[in-house]
Amino acid sequence: MVEIKTVPPDVDLSGASLIVGVLADTQPAPGAEEALAGADPMLLELAKFEGKTGQVLTLPHDQAKSVVFVGLGEEPGFEAIRAGMGNAIRVVKTERAVTNLNQIPLDGAERAVVEGAALGGYQFRNYKTEGEALAVETVELMGGDEATIGEVLVTTEATNLARDWVNTPALDKAPETLAELIRAQAEAAGLTVEIWDESRIATEELGALLGVAAGSDRPPRLVVLEYQPEGSGAHLGLVGKGITFDSGGLSLKTAAFMEEMKDDMSGAAVVSAATIAIARLALPVRVTTVVPLTDNAVGGKALRPGDILRPVAGPTIEVLNTDAEGRLILADGLGVVRRYEPDMIVDVATLTGAARVALGDKIAAVFGSDSDVAASILQAASRAGEHFWEMPLFNEYKKSIESDIADLKNISGSRYGGAITAALFLSSYADDSKWAHLDIAGPARSRETAGEQVKGASGIGVRTLVELARGLVGPS
Ligand code: BES
Ligand code: ZN
Ligand code: ZN
């Protein structure tokens, strides 16, 4: 892990790489004047370095070992700073990197620098037997603010924790194992943790979770995390989809890319990590987080198409496709979290391929029980620098998930609008709560390493949920 700290502006640069910003048309960003003036214009031209966002160029430097120029585009916005820092951190060839990008006169510049370095410098090496992928070990912010750095690191560490859990192979994250991994981190952050085993899940009558779990030899778990700071106003309820591997069940998926279904517990990872960050930041918001964990497998006792399940509360469900399992376990997750009577519920799930078709791999879908709820997520996401887009809970489509012999069925029967019908299904279990549903099926996984993103699990949602909690001031 890359260490990030503050140093005096006149720190000794020898042996280090100096990271500085350059605007479009090779105009120096504030603080980059000297370094850029010292660079050979021929070399800049040869490298076609124009200061465009995404461009990074390493050149020799008289005081430091080398200087890494980071293109920031027309205006030094915090998205460009975050991405530029992420790109720079991976090309640095020295153990020490020093930067003054945090000095750019822009609200949030320092935060963006820390996020870029901490997220862009993420490496998942648990299964590599040799060395580190990155040379850099420390990033030094010239004249940085220690408190700001520390605060931002809480959220980036939580994002990287979620990434670790998601990147872990399904073999090593059976529901009981993952529940214990979450417990260890949550307890260290001072949260109250309850883990329900399969007999408790049966006693509590979580029929939908049990139904999905029936096909696996690895028993299900349900984790409840509670953060209850003194004098907290608002109460946030979180629910995360925790499918530790989604084979599709008897409605089996095809082989191509099935390995990606180890990601299907991203929602669980994200809400758990966000709760940990909220507690570590001591935000004055009560949070109750419910995480149902199970495989979706194909054993002899597996759920069959046509079976009917009874979730702990709300409509009965005719299962017509066992691959639409996320909404089943979330029905129970929503039922459990509602018992705690939160002021607002947010669920996070890699729920539908249709959300990915609609918005691609870089944007997550938001559905809100009313426009205020959706707006509060969008605002939090924009402050956090994550990409979300609102989709409609279009009630006319609800007819398409009515079952002939149960209350609801778990697929609509149409190939179209699948993210919406899935969200409408969940709305029955959120009932009259203020509720938002985040479908992260597209962006839960980064397909390439670029900027603050590293190929593999993205951890999308952690930063947005932390910002959401920051914005919740009192009961509404
Ligand atoms: N876990 C998948 C959704 C998914 C797809 C996540 C691609 C990430 C990438 C979910 O359980 C699923 O299989 N959904 C089905 C629903 C369908 C059967 C109605 C889908 O989207 O195809
Ligand atoms: Zn599925
Ligand atoms: Zn799934």
Side-chain angles (χ1 to χ4, degrees):
M1 209 175 69
V2 187
E3 189 199 349
I4 300 170
K5 61 182 190 189
T6 173
V7 290
D10 58 355
V11 67
D12 177 18
L13 296 176
S14 47
S17 300
L18 177 64
I19 301 175
V20 297
V22 180
L23 299 178
D25 299 325
T26 50
Q27 293 305 302
E33 296 84 357
E34 222 179 289
L36 198 60
D40 183 343
M42 275 271 289
L43 288 176
L44 292 179
E45 213 165 296
L46 270 176
K48 296 200 165 47
F49 185 84
E50 299 159 311
K52 288 186 180 159
T53 37
Q55 283 188 323
V56 174
L57 176 68
T58 309
L59 292 181
H61 189 263
D62 51 357
Q63 291 165 46
K65 173 125 179 141
S66 53
V67 54
V68 179
F69 292 116
V70 175
L72 297 177
E74 302 289 333
E75 292 226 6
F78 59 74
E79 293 221 354
I81 297 176
R82 188 191 298 121
M85 195 62 203
N87 288 328
I89 209 69
R90 291 186 297 265
V91 301
V92 164
K93 296 278 182 295
T94 53
E95 281 177 19
R96 269 181 76 214
V98 182
T99 187
N100 62 4
L101 275 174
N102 54 305
Q103 304 278 346
I104 289 179
L106 171 80
D107 231 11
E110 181 148 277
R111 174 174 157 179
V113 170
V114 178
E115 287 174 343
L119 298 173
Y122 170 80
Q123 322 176 54
F124 184 65
R125 308 281 300 172
N126 297 0
Y127 294 83
K128 292 276 191 191
T129 55
E130 278 170 24
E132 294 284 303
L134 299 186
V136 66
E137 288 178 8
T138 45
V139 180
E140 302 171 12
L141 272 54
M142 292 163 116
D145 178 60
E146 203 171 321
T148 307
I149 297 173
E151 196 185 306
V152 178
L153 284 176
V154 170
T155 311
T156 55
E157 280 168 16
T159 305
N160 287 340
L161 176 64
R163 288 173 169 185
D164 274 350
W165 286 335
V166 175
N167 283 331
T168 298
L171 175 66
D172 292 335
K173 59 180 179 200
E176 45 185 328
T177 315
L178 182 55
E180 290 304 333
L181 291 174
I182 295 172
R183 185 210 291 275
Q185 296 290 336
E187 283 183 348
L191 298 171
T192 309
V193 182
E194 247 186 53
I195 299 180
W196 297 3
D197 63 10
E198 65 271 44
S199 72
R200 174 81 188 269
I201 292 168
T203 321
E204 300 279 354
E205 301 184 348
L206 308 189
L209 175 57
L210 285 174
V212 175
S216 177
D217 290 340
R218 311 197 296 185
R221 290 291 182 266
L222 183 132
V223 182
V224 183
L225 306 178
E226 286 184 86
Y227 169 58
Q228 209 163 346
E230 222 147 276
S232 54
H235 180 188
L236 177 63
L238 299 176
V239 182
K241 172 177 174 182
I243 295 293
T244 39
F245 189 75
D246 184 9
S247 72
L250 286 181
S251 313
L252 192 63
K253 288 186 181 293
T254 49
F257 304 111
M258 200 203 270
E259 72 280 3
E260 294 190 356
M261 286 300 121
K262 72 172 183 180
D263 296 6
D264 216 20
M265 36 57 75
S266 298
V270 164
V271 296
S272 302
T275 311
I276 288 167
I278 291 166
R280 286 187 58 202
L281 290 167
L283 299 183
V285 177
R286 180 176 167 199
V287 185
T288 307
T289 299
V290 172
V291 168
L293 298 170
T294 178
D295 283 329
N296 185 23
V298 289
K301 299 196 177 98
L303 184 65
R304 290 154 288 252
D307 286 348
I308 294 179
L309 301 176
R310 285 179 199 280
V312 64
T316 56
I317 308 162
E318 183 184 14
V319 177
L320 291 183
N321 187 318
T322 63
D323 196 12
E325 83 299 334
R327 65 198 78 185
L328 303 177
I329 68 165
L330 289 173
D332 273 334
L334 289 166
V336 173
V337 86
R338 282 183 51 216
R339 289 191 197 158
Y340 295 83
E341 300 184 338
D343 302 310
M344 177 180 178
I345 301 173
V346 182
D347 78 70
V348 184
T350 45
L351 201 63
T352 65
R356 191 170 163 205
V357 170
L359 297 174
D361 285 330
K362 295 188 176 170
I363 306 173
V366 187
F367 296 85
S369 56
D370 63 57
S371 44
D372 288 352
V373 178
S376 65
I377 301 283
L378 292 174
Q379 283 157 12
S382 128
R383 289 197 301 272
E386 293 185 326
H387 303 299
F388 282 78
W389 199 262
E390 187 178 356
M391 304 247 284
L393 275 176
F394 187 64
N395 257 314
E396 269 182 50
Y397 292 167
K398 214 162 177 182
K399 283 197 279 298
S400 70
I401 50 168
E402 284 170 7
S403 156
D404 291 338
I405 59 167
D407 299 326
L408 291 179
K409 54 185 181 184
N410 76 332
I411 52 167
S412 72
S414 160
R415 283 174 52 213
Y416 302 113
I420 299 176
T421 45
L424 284 168
F425 179 96
L426 295 180
S427 71
S428 294
Y429 301 91
D431 202 24
D432 57 359
S433 309
K434 274 176 81 122
W435 159 76
H437 159 57
L438 315 186
D439 192 335
I440 57 166
R445 173 183 285 258
S446 306
R447 313 236 146 227
E448 54 182 17
T449 297
E452 73 274 25
Q453 293 300 339
V454 176
K455 191 173 178 182
S458 70
I460 187 172
V462 173
R463 288 187 283 148
T464 295
L465 290 177
V466 173
E467 277 306 316
L468 179 75
R470 244 191 254 281
L472 289 179
V473 273
S476 36

